[in-house]
């Protein structure tokens, strides 16, 4: 028996070893037998089924990359998106691997992909403002017959598993104003993905996710766990959420519903709920800087959260889903480090509905918001509103709070509050600026013995007093009265006082006094933000009294506005410009309708401005929602650098408008154009020593420049450029951050043609024949067109015409005249002197049309006319008049290019140059000019 057992065991081990060795051998051999087959088939399916650019550095076939699956791995894979995102990355991965059906590969010699693995990838999903997405890269088979053939032979996708490891997923939908940024995205999805309808089992983990809506962060750096079962219908590309459990930090959410992805939008019916959870779990989704505070605070109470999103989303058809939100909090309590008086009895019941995502239909029902602090302090409020621009309101706010007690209960570590705050305010009615309606209102707010200190600055704002009352008995603007008397505070020993009464908001009557001085830089540090620095000093002593109608009707004698504002070393930014304006000194004096700039010295980057003059009706500008500032100024400057004002240039200003931010994302290499403010009507008599623009230098600008209704103009202005006085009348208007339109009239007398060719790009392109010319010319030209995203002219867009006067020009070594001289045998034609000649031309669609002009050279009288292009194409006609008087002559045709002219004598047959085609609406060149195949 021992011998038999030993023999059997050895035999078993030997067989097992042979089988194991054979399996290991096969694991190494199979990839070697099919490497070309698999790689070629993967490329084939990509080319046939994907409308995208796919690149990878190398491919490998192995069992050991994702054991035990046989996978073909593509290293350093990149894939671009569908139109109009053909140049933008959709996927960029360290490795993408496709699992291969081993049985079909060995026995049928077919590549059937059943698994997908993506590692360390950036998955960048983009949707533009028109609703066009970059993920529409899949090319569907033409008909069902093709689908059947694909299913039976060749390469096929029959996925059973999708695995994403440590990926970065970005979803940026500009049409819906949604941005999701998920880092550390790990995902495993299992199911028979090749079926038309299948269940996808998902296990997902996200280390950090941000969620933004309309550029406002609602989630930042939150950890997410997900256990999902989703039924997917591939015919309709719809997702039925069956079992979908998420956890955002500690807040559990359950999703149910339906999402169908359409080519031009979505069909949505989603419900998300977090029921019977704790207030502490709800607070766990707060911004990450509050998590330390949560660990040191006792939080109790119950919460229920419900979110629904239902309807169709289609930008082209202007369809949007309904959004609804409900939050309930009961028995809430917050106690920071055993505060003497905790916040208790916190209750909240909020319902909000936005039909069709239309803010004008917004419904808000804040039925309850109340809490207590200690035994005496309380706060209670409710709000019922309907609409936005025209809003029906029913609201009440009542409270009496010792802010120091509230501060201790909440543990506001970043700031300290003191003071007695009382409020009692009721409002009911309609708010509408267009109909001049205001809810019937009574009540006010008061803060006494206020005190504010933040961790950003060692000294507090003290002695804060605010007593404000509102009264409106009839529900109209006319009956609204707001009084602020008094309001005051002190900062670092400097008191500031404000008293104001405002009434009859249909024709606003104001009586306000402001007096005090502040170190703006220091008080800003009290409220400072990282990455922002404001310095400076402000002093005001103002008394303002009057009515809006006094200014608008020209009854300036009834206004009683007087006083001064002094600013020093103030840094300020505008959303239109990348850099900050630095006001070295600004002395302003108010005199009835005018705000005088008595001394105003400012800079912007390298540019500087010294301004004096006045703005008109500044008070009305601040009171009206769409007001326009008017004014008249004198301005002196040593340097204005136009390049620094271009919208997409780098600068310290991070608070830009959304169009600029989008343009910077889309065109990272562009400088943008200069955006002109739309609410200015200002003229400036200028004296500027030097202007820099796109490599050009203009000296001694004099004349009038101004802004009116978003249009920048130059009126009877002169510059000095290349030692010549250039006269310009022009208009400029931006159309987007990357496009603008201009309309200009230029006059320049007696300048060097060679310097103009070398130093002025537009002249270089318009008069390319000047390369070999020497001498003095003048120009009188009118031209209009568009500017591109680098503030350069789009030649295909330009239209215009004018006169080029050759006072005394010599042309030597020009291939055109050299060729004519060689063809005719007349050497005197190769270096003509051209004096007193006027060349009239027009510009359209990238072509320059030259009217006939005649000159004399070596006894000959050439007459030239025809067409040339900004790209150097030629279609010119010449009549070479013979000595003595040119009465007899013969025709010459010049085609080809400036660099390689084709000359035919005794010929009238040329080649027409077809116009370029330009889309003015979209600032896009549709087709470049080219030589026609037809002779003429």
């Amino acid at each position: 028996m021992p011998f038999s057992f030993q023999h059997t065991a050895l035999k078993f081990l030997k067989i097992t070893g042979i089988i194991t060795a054979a399996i290991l051998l096969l694991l190494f051999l199979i990839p070697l037998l099919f490497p070309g087959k698999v790689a070629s088939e993967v490329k084939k399916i990509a080319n046939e089924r994907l409308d995208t650019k796919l690149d990878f550095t190398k491919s490998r076939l192995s069992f050991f990359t994702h054991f035990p699956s046989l996978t073909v791995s593509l290293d350093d894979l990149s894939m671009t998106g569908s139109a109009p995102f053909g140049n933008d990355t959709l996927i960029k991965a360290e490795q993408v691997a496709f699992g291969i059906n081993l049985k079909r590969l060995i026995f049928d010699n077919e590549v059937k992909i059943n698994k997908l693995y993506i590692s360390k990838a950036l998955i960048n999903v983009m949707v533009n403002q028109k609703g066009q997405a970059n993920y529409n890269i899949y090319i569907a088979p033409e008909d069902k017959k093709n689908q059947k053939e694909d299913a039976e032979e060749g390469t096929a996708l029959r996925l059973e598993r999708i695995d994403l490891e440590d990926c970065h997923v970005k979803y940026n939908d500009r049409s819906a104003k949604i941005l999701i940024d998920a880092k550390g995205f790990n995902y495993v999805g299992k199911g028979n993905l090749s079926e038309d309808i299948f269940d996808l089992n998902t296990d997902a983990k996200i280390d950090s996710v941000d969620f933004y809506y309309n550029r406002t962060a609602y989630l930042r750096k939150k950890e997410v766990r997900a256990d999902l079962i989703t039924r997917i219908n591939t015919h309709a590309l719809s997702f039925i959420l069956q079992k979908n459990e998420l956890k955002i930090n500690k807040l559990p959410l359950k999703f149910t519903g339906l999402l169908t992805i359409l080519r031009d939008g979505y069909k949505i019916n989603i419900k998300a709920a977090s029921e019977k959870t704790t207030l502490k779990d709800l607070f766990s989704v707060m911004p990450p800087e509050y998590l330390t505070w949560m660990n040191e605070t006792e939080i109790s109470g119950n919460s229920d959260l419900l979110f629904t999103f239902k309807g169709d989303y289609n930008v082209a058809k202007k369809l949007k889903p309904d959004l609804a939100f409900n939050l309930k909090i009961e028995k809430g309590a917050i106690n920071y480090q055993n505060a003497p008086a905790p916040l208790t009895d916190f209750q909240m019941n909020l319902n909000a509905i936005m039909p069709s995502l239309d803010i004008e239909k917004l419904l808000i029902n804040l039925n309850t918001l109340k809490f207590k602090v200690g035994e005496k302090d309380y706060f209670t409020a409710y709000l019922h509103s309907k609409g936005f621009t025209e809003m029906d309101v029913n609201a009440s706010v009542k409270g009496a709070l010792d802010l120091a007690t509230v501060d201790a209960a909440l543990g506001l570590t970043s700031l300290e509050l003191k003071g007695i705050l009382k409020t009692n305010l009721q409002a009911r009615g309609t708010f509408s600026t267009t109909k001049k309606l205001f809810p019937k209102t009574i009540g006010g707010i008061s803060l006494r013995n206020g005190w504010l200190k933040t961790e950003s600055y060692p000294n507090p704002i003290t002695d804060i007093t605010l007593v404000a009352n509102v009264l409106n008995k009839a529900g109209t603007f006319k009956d609204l009265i707001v009084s602020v008397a008094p309001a005051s505070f002190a900062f670092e020993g400097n008191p500031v006082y404000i008293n104001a009464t405002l009434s009859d908001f249909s024709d606003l009557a104001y009586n306000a006094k402001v007096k005090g001085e502040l170190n703006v830089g220091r008080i800003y540090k009290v409220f400072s933000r990282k990455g922002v620095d404001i310095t400076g000093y402000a002093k005001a002593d103002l008394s303002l009294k009057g009515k809006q109608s006094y200014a608008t009707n020209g009854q300036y004698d009834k206004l009683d506005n007087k006083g001064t504002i002094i600013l020093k070393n103030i840094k300020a930014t505008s959303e239109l410009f990348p850099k900050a304006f630095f006001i070295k000194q600004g002395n302003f004096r108010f005199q009835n309708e005018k705000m005088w700039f008595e001394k105003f010295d400012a800079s912007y980057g390298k540019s500087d401005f010294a301004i004096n003059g006045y703005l008109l009706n500044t008070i009305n500008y601040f009171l009206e929602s769409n007001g326009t500032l008017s004014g008249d100024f004198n301005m002196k400057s040593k340097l204005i650098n136009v390049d620094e004002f271009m919208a997409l240039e780098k600068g310290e200003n991070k608070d830009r408008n959304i169009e600029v931010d989008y343009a910077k994302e889309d065109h990272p290499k562009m400088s943008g154009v200069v955006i002109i403010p739309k609410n200015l009507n200002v003229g400036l008599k200028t004296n500027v020593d030097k202007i820099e623009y796109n490599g050009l230098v203009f000296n001694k600008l004099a004349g009038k420049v101004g802004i009116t209704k978003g249009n920048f103009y130059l009126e009877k202005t002169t510059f000095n450029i290349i030692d010549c006085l250039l006269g310009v009348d022009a208009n400029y208007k931006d159309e987007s951050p990357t496009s603008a339109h201009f309309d200009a009239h230029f006059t320049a007398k007696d300048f060097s043609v060679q310097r103009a060719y070398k130093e002025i790009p537009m002249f270089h392109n318009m008069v390319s024949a000047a390369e070999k010319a020497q001498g003095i010319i003048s120009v009188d030209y009118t031209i209009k067109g568009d500017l591109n995203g680098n503030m350069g002219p789009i030649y295909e867009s330009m239209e215009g015409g004018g006169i080029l006067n050759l006072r005394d020009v010599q042309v030597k070594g020009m291939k055109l005249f050299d060729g004519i001289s060689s063809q005719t045998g007349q050497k005197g034609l190769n270096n003509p002197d051209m004096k007193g000649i006027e060349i009239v031309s027009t510009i359209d669609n990238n072509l320059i049309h030259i009217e006939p002009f005649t000159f004399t050279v070596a006894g000959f009288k050439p007459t030239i006319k025809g067409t040339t292009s900004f790209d150097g194409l030629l279609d010119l006609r010449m009549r070479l008049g013979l000595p003595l008087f040119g009465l007899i002559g013969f025709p010459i045709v010049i085609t080809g290019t400036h660099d390689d002219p084709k000359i035919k004598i005794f010929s009238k047959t040329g080649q027409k140059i077809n116009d370029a085609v330009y889309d003015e609406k979209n600032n896009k060149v549709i087709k470049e000019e080219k030589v026609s195949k037809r002779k003429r």
Side-chain angles (χ1 to χ4, degrees):
M1 284 295 291
F3 173 79
S4 177
F5 173 79
Q6 184 179 14
H7 177 75
T8 302
L10 288 172
K11 187 175 181 179
F12 174 77
L13 290 174
K14 186 183 293 185
I15 293 171
T16 302
I18 292 172
I19 292 173
T20 302
I23 292 172
L24 291 173
L25 183 62
L26 284 172
L27 292 178
F28 282 100
L29 287 178
I30 289 174
L32 298 177
L33 295 174
F34 298 95
K37 169 73 175 176
V38 173
S40 63
E41 289 294 327
V42 169
K43 289 184 178 180
K44 177 183 175 184
I45 190 173
N47 292 330
E48 290 179 351
R49 297 291 181 84
L50 302 178
D51 182 17
T52 183
K53 182 181 178 182
L54 177 69
D55 288 318
F56 52 88
T57 55
K58 65 178 180 179
S59 62
R60 290 177 287 113
L61 189 64
S62 173
F63 279 100
F64 300 102
T65 307
H66 294 280
F67 187 82
S69 297
L70 173 63
T71 57
V72 57
S73 302
L74 307 180
D75 292 346
D76 301 319
L77 178 139
S78 63
M79 183 186 298
T80 57
S82 55
F85 300 95
N87 296 322
D88 297 304
T89 298
L90 173 60
I91 297 176
K92 185 177 180 64
E94 186 176 293
Q95 185 183 88
V96 174
F98 302 92
I100 308 299
N101 186 311
L102 184 60
K103 176 184 174 184
R104 298 293 290 269
L105 179 64
I106 294 175
F107 296 105
D108 300 330
N109 198 32
E110 293 178 350
V111 177
K112 300 297 180 184
I113 297 172
N114 58 8
K115 296 180 178 68
L116 174 64
Y117 303 89
I118 301 177
S119 303
K120 298 185 184 302
L122 168 64
I123 301 172
N124 186 32
V125 179
M126 304 167 71
V127 183
N128 65 16
Q129 292 97 316
K130 297 178 181 179
Q132 298 168 306
N134 70 337
Y135 51 75
N136 292 316
I137 61 173
Y138 180 71
I139 303 174
E142 293 182 3
D143 50 43
K144 293 184 178 180
K145 179 181 178 181
N146 288 343
Q147 293 183 43
K148 185 176 180 180
E149 290 175 355
D150 289 342
E152 292 177 355
E153 58 180 301
T155 305
L157 279 169
R158 303 181 66 85
L159 293 177
E160 299 170 2
R161 179 186 177 100
I162 297 176
D163 195 325
L164 279 66
E165 179 186 0
D166 193 17
C167 293
H168 181 188
V169 178
K170 288 186 70 175
Y171 176 83
N172 188 359
D173 188 338
R174 292 180 183 174
S175 67
K177 299 180 181 178
I178 289 174
L179 171 64
I180 300 173
D181 192 355
K183 298 176 182 177
F185 189 96
N186 296 276
Y187 171 95
V188 176
K190 299 177 182 178
N192 192 350
L193 280 66
S194 62
E195 297 294 332
D196 294 337
I197 300 175
F198 61 91
D199 289 340
L200 178 66
N201 292 271
T202 297
D203 182 19
K205 172 188 173 185
I206 305 173
D207 294 339
S208 174
V209 65
D210 298 342
F211 176 81
Y212 289 78
Y213 176 72
N214 199 18
R215 304 209 310 179
T216 299
Y218 290 88
L219 291 176
R220 284 197 300 115
K221 298 181 181 179
K222 297 305 173 189
E223 183 181 2
V224 175
R225 298 289 185 272
D227 181 13
L228 317 174
I229 299 177
T230 307
R231 176 155 293 178
I232 299 177
N233 184 332
T234 58
H235 284 310
L237 197 54
S238 64
F239 303 84
I240 301 171
L241 309 178
Q242 295 180 318
K243 175 197 172 186
N244 292 274
E245 297 178 356
L246 294 180
K247 181 173 280 190
I248 304 175
N249 278 8
K250 294 182 179 180
L251 180 69
L253 283 173
K254 292 184 178 180
F255 281 81
T256 57
L258 169 72
L259 171 64
T260 300
I261 299 177
L262 310 173
R263 192 168 189 86
D264 53 359
Y266 316 94
K267 183 181 288 291
I268 301 167
N269 186 355
I270 293 177
K271 176 182 176 183
S274 180
E275 299 174 334
K276 298 180 180 180
T277 56
T278 67
L279 186 60
K280 190 163 188 174
D281 290 343
L282 180 65
F283 277 16
S284 74
V285 300
M286 292 173 65
E289 54 264 31
Y290 291 96
L291 297 183
T292 301
W293 168 83
M294 284 185 59
N295 294 331
E296 299 174 350
T297 305
E298 292 181 14
I299 302 172
S300 61
N302 304 317
S303 71
D304 286 299
L305 177 67
L306 177 64
F307 169 93
T308 61
F309 203 32
K310 183 178 181 180
D312 292 344
Y313 185 89
N314 185 304
V315 175
K317 296 180 180 179
K318 298 182 180 180
L319 298 176
K320 294 183 179 180
D322 300 334
L323 175 67
F325 176 82
N326 175 250
L327 174 63
K328 288 183 179 180
I329 296 174
E330 294 180 342
K331 300 178 181 180
I334 301 174
N335 186 359
Y336 178 74
Q337 293 186 346
N338 296 316
L343 185 149
T344 59
D345 297 334
F346 181 30
Q347 294 185 47
M348 181 178 184
N349 187 353
L350 170 65
N351 292 280
I353 303 173
M354 192 185 299
S356 301
L357 291 179
D358 185 352
I359 197 168
E360 297 300 333
K361 299 177 182 178
L362 178 65
L363 297 169
I364 296 177
N365 286 314
L366 179 61
N367 296 311
T368 306
L369 174 61
K370 65 180 183 179
F371 60 84
K372 291 172 59 179
V373 182
E375 294 297 325
K376 298 180 180 180
D377 293 357
Y378 72 96
F379 182 87
T380 180
Y382 66 81
L383 167 66
H384 303 283
S385 70
K386 180 181 180 181
F388 189 76
T389 303
E390 184 172 323
M391 181 187 295
D392 292 332
V393 176
N394 181 7
S396 173
V397 179
K398 294 181 180 180
L401 298 171
D402 183 334
L403 294 182
T405 306
V406 176
D407 188 319
L410 296 179
L412 303 178
T413 56
S414 59
L415 81 158
E416 296 179 37
L417 293 172
K418 295 180 183 178
I420 304 301
L421 177 68
K422 293 183 178 180
T423 180
N424 188 352
L425 191 67
Q426 287 84 41
R428 188 165 192 167
T430 302
F431 174 81
S432 172
T433 56
T434 55
K435 295 181 179 180
K436 304 294 183 182
L437 298 175
F438 195 92
K440 293 180 180 180
T441 307
I442 186 170
I445 182 172
S446 70
L447 173 63
R448 299 186 185 277
N449 300 320
W451 195 87
L452 170 66
K453 182 180 178 297
T454 72
E455 61 184 5
S456 304
Y457 194 74
N459 298 329
I461 302 171
T462 62
D463 301 326
I464 304 171
T465 299
L466 172 65
V467 178
N469 291 288
V470 182
L471 179 64
N472 189 328
K473 293 182 177 180
T476 66
F477 270 32
K478 183 177 180 62
D479 292 279
L480 177 60
I481 300 173
V482 178
S483 65
V484 180
S488 62
F489 64 90
F491 181 66
E492 295 196 326
N494 294 320
V496 176
Y497 301 96
I498 302 170
N499 283 272
T501 300
L502 307 175
S503 61
D504 187 3
F505 279 65
S506 62
D507 179 16
L508 184 64
Y510 54 88
N511 187 353
K513 293 182 180 180
V514 181
K515 187 173 183 178
E517 59 184 280
L518 284 175
N519 186 314
V520 178
R522 291 179 182 176
I523 199 169
Y524 183 78
K525 288 181 179 178
V526 175
F527 310 98
S528 67
R529 291 183 297 158
K530 290 183 179 179
V532 179
D533 182 28
I534 290 183
T535 59
Y537 164 88
K539 182 178 180 180
D541 188 354
L542 287 177
S543 176
L544 308 173
K545 186 176 182 180
K547 282 190 172 185
Q548 275 187 285
S549 60
Y550 294 165
T552 54
N553 296 331
Q555 298 172 289
Y556 301 129
D557 58 318
K558 292 185 177 182
L559 293 171
D560 187 14
N561 300 326
K562 57 189 177 184
T564 59
I565 296 177
I566 298 174
L567 303 178
K568 291 183 180 179
N569 300 327
I570 298 292
K571 185 184 289 187
T573 59
S574 165
E575 67 173 5
L576 302 180
F577 303 111
K579 295 180 181 293
F581 290 87
F582 185 76
I583 302 172
K584 184 178 179 181
Q585 182 164 345
N587 292 1
F588 308 98
R589 177 172 56 88
F590 286 80
Q591 183 180 7
N592 293 337
E593 80 278 11
K594 293 179 179 178
M595 175 182 175
W596 288 92
F597 287 53
E598 296 191 327
K599 183 175 178 58
F600 185 86
D601 295 322
S603 62
Y604 175 90
K606 297 177 183 177
S607 305
D608 64 272
F609 315 90
I611 295 174
N612 62 74
Y614 66 85
L615 285 174
L616 196 64
N617 298 333
T618 51
I619 296 173
N620 276 9
Y621 167 75
F622 290 107
L623 296 177
E624 294 176 0
S625 58
N626 297 308
T628 298
L629 274 176
S630 301
D632 198 6
F633 294 92
N634 295 310
M635 183 184 80
K636 292 184 178 180
S637 173
K638 295 178 181 177
L639 170 67
I640 294 179
N641 187 327
V642 177
D643 300 345
E644 294 181 320
F645 290 85
M646 295 179 185
L648 308 188
E649 284 291 312
K650 293 181 179 179
E652 63 269 36
N653 185 13
K654 306 303 180 186
D655 188 16
R656 307 299 305 278
N657 72 33
I658 193 166
E659 294 297 326
V660 171
D661 284 343
Y662 285 165
K664 288 176 73 173
E665 290 178 12
D666 294 341
H667 309 286
K669 295 183 180 180
M670 285 187 179
S671 62
V673 302
V674 178
I675 299 177
I676 305 299
K678 303 298 185 287
N679 56 350
L680 290 181
N681 183 15
V682 177
L684 300 97
K685 295 177 183 177
T686 57
N687 190 338
V688 182
D689 292 343
K690 184 178 179 181
I691 293 178
E692 296 178 354
Y693 162 57
N694 264 355
L696 293 174
V697 176
F698 301 89
N699 295 303
K700 302 299 180 183
L701 165 66
K704 186 175 181 179
V705 304
I707 297 173
T708 177
K709 296 180 180 179
N711 183 73
F712 176 79
Y713 66 86
L714 294 90
E715 183 178 298
K716 297 180 180 179
T717 56
T718 58
F719 301 85
N720 189 297
I721 184 171
I722 59 170
D723 295 327
C724 165
L725 193 65
L726 175 67
V728 181
D729 288 274
N731 288 283
Y732 166 93
K733 189 177 183 66
D734 61 278
E735 297 174 336
S736 76
T738 55
S739 63
H741 183 79
F742 73 95
D743 187 343
H745 177 218
F746 302 94
T747 58
K749 189 175 181 181
D750 298 342
F751 62 90
S752 165
V753 63
Q754 192 56 213
R755 285 194 64 185
Y757 180 83
K758 291 179 178 178
E759 299 178 31
I760 304 176
M762 186 179 291
F763 185 88
H764 178 285
N765 291 315
M766 290 178 62
V767 193
S768 55
E771 180 183 8
K772 302 294 184 180
Q774 299 284 342
I776 303 300
I777 67 174
S778 299
V779 66
D780 187 336
Y781 226 87
T782 299
I783 194 165
K784 66 178 180 178
D786 292 334
L787 300 176
N788 60 27
N790 290 312
M791 203 82 173
I794 302 174
Y795 291 101
E796 290 82 356
S797 74
M798 296 201 312
E799 300 175 17
I803 299 171
L804 189 68
N805 186 286
L806 313 184
R807 196 184 82 180
D808 185 6
V809 176
Q810 301 84 40
V811 180
K812 294 182 179 180
M814 185 176 176
K815 291 182 179 180
L816 174 60
F817 288 108
D818 286 349
I820 295 172
S821 177
S822 174
Q823 290 278 352
T824 61
Q826 300 296 323
K827 293 185 179 180
L829 295 174
N830 59 348
N831 295 316
D833 291 339
M834 308 174 80
K835 297 183 179 181
I837 298 170
E838 279 193 352
I839 302 176
V840 179
S841 64
T842 58
I843 294 173
D844 188 23
N845 297 329
N846 213 38
L847 301 183
I848 305 169
H849 305 284
I850 302 168
E851 299 295 320
F853 69 94
T854 303
F855 58 98
T856 301
V857 53
F860 294 90
K861 284 188 174 294
T863 299
I864 299 176
K865 66 177 182 178
T867 302
T868 181
S869 80
F870 283 108
D871 296 322
L873 299 178
L874 298 175
D875 180 29
L876 300 176
R877 307 290 187 274
M878 176 185 285
R879 180 186 180 276
L880 186 60
L882 301 175
L884 290 174
F885 302 105
L887 297 176
I888 300 173
F890 57 88
I892 300 173
V893 169
I894 303 116
T895 58
T897 66
H898 283 292
D899 294 330
D900 186 19
K902 309 296 183 184
I903 299 167
K904 294 185 291 183
I905 61 174
F906 300 108
S907 174
K908 293 183 179 180
T909 304
Q911 276 190 304
K912 179 184 178 183
I913 306 173
N914 290 332
D915 293 0
V917 180
Y918 179 73
D919 180 357
E920 185 175 346
K921 182 179 180 181
N922 296 301
N923 300 95
K924 186 177 180 180
V925 178
I926 304 299
K927 184 170 63 177
E928 296 181 353
E929 82 286 359
K930 65 178 180 178
V931 175
S932 173
K933 294 180 180 179
R934 294 185 291 107
K935 305 287 185 180
R936 73 169 190 176

